[in-house]
Amino acid sequence: MENCKFVSGTGGTTEIGYTNKNDQQCHGTLKVKGTDHLQYVYRMECLRCGYVYGANGSDVHERRCPECQDGAPGIRYWRAEAGARRSWPEPEGPLLG
């Protein structure tokens, strides 16, 4: 699979490990285009409840958890490979183990 490694963005708030004031941690991007102009989607994890979701890079610094902080819904941060069959659950929600 191509692009299956998370990488940091170019700004400080999109570096892997950055945690904002709302305890939302950035896990990097797979270079999937976001919904905001010229943005990539970043995988985020709430350090309070473990919920995992996607957010535009421009929003990482102020994001709140969609699950426990009444934040905006997450966006898809992964891309299915052409012709691939998906037999696993969508990777959004609490991180397990």
Side-chain angles (χ1 to χ4, degrees), residues 12-50:
T13 61
T14 55
E15 288 184 9
I16 293 172
Y18 169 81
T19 303
N20 73 17
K21 65 183 177 184
N22 299 313
D23 293 325
Q24 306 303 298
Q25 187 172 70
C26 178
H27 288 203
T29 181
L30 294 172
K31 302 277 184 163
V32 173
K33 291 182 181 180
T35 57
D36 200 2
H37 184 67
L38 299 175
Q39 295 296 307
Y40 287 126
V41 182
Y42 289 81
R43 182 178 190 258
M44 302 292 292
E45 177 187 2
C46 177
L47 299 180
R48 295 182 185 179
C49 74

Side-chain angles (χ1 to χ4, degrees), residues 9 11 13 23 26 34 36 43 49-50 54 58 67-68 70 74 76 85 87 93:
T13 61
D23 293 325
C26 178
D36 200 2
R43 182 178 190 258
C49 74
S58 56
E67 187 72 11
C68 74
D70 200 30
R76 189 174 180 147
R85 290 189 343 210
S87 60

Side-chain angles (χ1 to χ4, degrees), residues 57-95:
S58 56
D59 296 332
V60 169
H61 72 285
E62 62 187 1
R63 276 303 301 229
R64 289 178 289 130
C65 178
E67 187 72 11
C68 74
Q69 296 175 330
D70 200 30
I75 57 177
R76 189 174 180 147
Y77 60 86
W78 66 96
R79 174 179 48 234
E81 294 295 322
R85 290 189 343 210
R86 188 176 62 81
S87 60
W88 58 90
E90 305 236 337
E92 184 169 317
L95 266 181

